[in-house]
């Protein structure tokens, strides 16, 4: 069974959804609503982009920035801002450690709440990637006047070949089975639910785009959805 089928099957299990959403979502919403991001400063539209590795998330974000003048941000921006505040040099390990610390101390939605605080123009459209936990989705929904979660989907074999072709450090050497095994670790958050939970995030998507062909086709699909949404 492929990873996409696995999370779709789990979505249909109401026990699965209650486990991840019933206790934490309300507290995330309360935190976002009561924080420094007041209602009058909420951005008018935030589009969250989620997807598995090499599915085309960055392509969607790049299109929205170029074609629709959106401001691109990543939840990792909150980690970088925290490192800068602490005068700590940025590295992959430093980002991981400060992220774990922030989630333990402030809850799993903290990165989304921090990124909302960086949105300084209430009339701009923002597009956010690196969404990997349902509490982050809940915080973004609470912190924007309008929020939509966009899922980008693509066949596993196609994504694997894209990963190999882009040649990033650590990408090209993995076998297809290693690629699948690494993704499986990002899906369910571990025993305490504090890790990445992409399966639960993708289950919450408001709209889904298939990206098995070209970036041009993907961009046209995004444009059509935005046109219909605004009519």
């Amino acid at each position: 069974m492929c990873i996409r089928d696995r999370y779709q099957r789990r979505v249909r299990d109401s026990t699965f959804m209650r486990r991840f959403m019933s206790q934490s979502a309300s507290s995330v919403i309360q935190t976002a609503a009561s924080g420094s991001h007041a209602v009058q400063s909420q951005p008018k539209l935030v589009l969250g982009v989620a997807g598995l590795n090499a599915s085309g998330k960055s392509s969607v974000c790049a299109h929205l920035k170029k074609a629709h003048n959106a401001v691109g941000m990543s939840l990792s921006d909150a980690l970088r801002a925290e490192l800068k505040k602490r005068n700590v040099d940025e590295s992959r390990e430093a980002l991981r450690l400060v992220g774990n610390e922030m989630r333990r101390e402030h809850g799993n939605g903290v990165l989304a709440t921090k990124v909302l605080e960086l949105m300084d123009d209430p009339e701009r459209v923002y597009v956010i990637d690196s969404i990997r936990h349902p509490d982050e989705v809940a915080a973004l929904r609470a912190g924007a006047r309008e929020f939509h979660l966009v899922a980008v989907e693509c066949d596993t074999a196609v994504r694997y070949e894209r990963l190999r072709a882009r040649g990033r450090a650590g990408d090209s050497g993995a076998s297809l089975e290693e690629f699948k095994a690494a993704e499986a670790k990002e899906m369910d958050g571990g025993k305490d639910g504090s890790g990445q939970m992409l399966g639960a995030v993708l289950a919450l998507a408001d709209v889904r785009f298939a990206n098995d062909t070209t970036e041009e086709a993907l961009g046209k699909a995004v444009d059509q959805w935005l046109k219909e949404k605004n009519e």
Side-chain angles (χ1 to χ4, degrees), residues 46-49 73-75 115 119 126-131 140:
V46 175
L47 300 174
V49 181
M73 302 182 76
S74 168
L75 295 193
V115 164
M119 297 180 187
Y126 291 86
V127 56
I128 313 298
D129 68 2
S130 297
I131 301 171
L140 290 169

Side-chain angles (χ1 to χ4, degrees), residues 20-32:
F20 295 133
M21 298 300 292
S22 61
Q23 295 181 351
S24 58
S26 61
S27 62
V28 169
I29 291 171
Q30 290 170 2
T31 300

Side-chain angles (χ1 to χ4, degrees), residues 56-84:
K57 300 183 297 296
S58 61
S59 296
V60 171
C61 292
H63 178 77
L64 288 167
K65 287 186 285 185
K66 181 178 180 179
H68 300 278
N69 198 31
V71 178
M73 302 182 76
S74 168
L75 295 193
S76 297
D77 291 340
L79 301 180
R80 295 185 179 94
E82 184 66 20
L83 290 178
K84 184 176 181 180

Side-chain angles (χ1 to χ4, degrees), residues 1-13 16-17 20 50-52 55 149-154 156 159 183-184 186-188 197-205 207-209:
M1 180 182 294
C2 71
I3 288 176
R4 186 189 305 175
D5 290 341
R6 188 180 306 148
Y7 84 70
Q8 287 176 340
R9 187 182 69 178
R10 296 181 75 177
V11 170
R12 294 193 293 267
D13 184 347
F16 169 73
M17 292 306 296
F20 295 133
L52 297 175
S55 59
L149 180 62
V150 175
V152 188
E153 299 178 333
C154 182
T156 301
R159 293 189 296 105
E183 284 197 334
E186 301 178 350
M187 296 299 287
D188 64 6
M197 297 171 62
L198 273 172
V201 169
L202 293 169
L204 298 172
V207 61
R208 303 176 186 277
F209 295 109

Side-chain angles (χ1 to χ4, degrees), residues 55-206:
S55 59
K57 300 183 297 296
S58 61
S59 296
V60 171
C61 292
H63 178 77
L64 288 167
K65 287 186 285 185
K66 181 178 180 179
H68 300 278
N69 198 31
V71 178
M73 302 182 76
S74 168
L75 295 193
S76 297
D77 291 340
L79 301 180
R80 295 185 179 94
E82 184 66 20
L83 290 178
K84 184 176 181 180
K85 185 170 69 174
R86 300 183 185 190
N87 293 316
V88 176
D89 291 337
E90 181 182 326
S91 68
R92 186 185 184 99
E93 180 67 3
L95 289 167
R96 185 184 70 82
L97 290 174
V98 76
N100 290 346
E101 177 186 333
M102 291 170 69
R103 282 187 289 270
R104 284 195 303 269
E105 293 184 359
H106 305 291
N108 292 322
V110 62
L111 298 182
T113 302
K114 292 290 185 181
V115 164
L116 284 164
E117 293 171 356
L118 299 175
M119 297 180 187
D120 55 5
D121 188 341
E123 296 308 312
R124 295 297 299 274
V125 175
Y126 291 86
V127 56
I128 313 298
D129 68 2
S130 297
I131 301 171
R132 297 180 179 273
H133 198 284
D135 285 3
E136 295 167 351
V137 178
L140 290 169
R141 288 197 194 281
R145 282 178 274 170
E146 182 179 355
F147 174 80
H148 298 279
L149 180 62
V150 175
V152 188
E153 299 178 333
C154 182
D155 180 77
T156 301
V158 174
R159 293 189 296 105
Y160 175 66
E161 291 304 322
R162 286 177 181 166
L163 195 77
R164 288 167 54 86
R166 72 187 187 186
R168 291 182 186 173
D171 281 352
S172 58
S175 68
L176 178 59
E177 291 307 312
E178 289 170 334
F179 174 68
K180 291 178 179 179
E183 284 197 334
K185 296 177 181 178
E186 301 178 350
M187 296 299 287
D188 64 6
K191 293 182 180 179
D192 63 358
S194 62
Q196 297 180 10
M197 297 171 62
L198 273 172
V201 169
L202 293 169
L204 298 172
D206 301 300

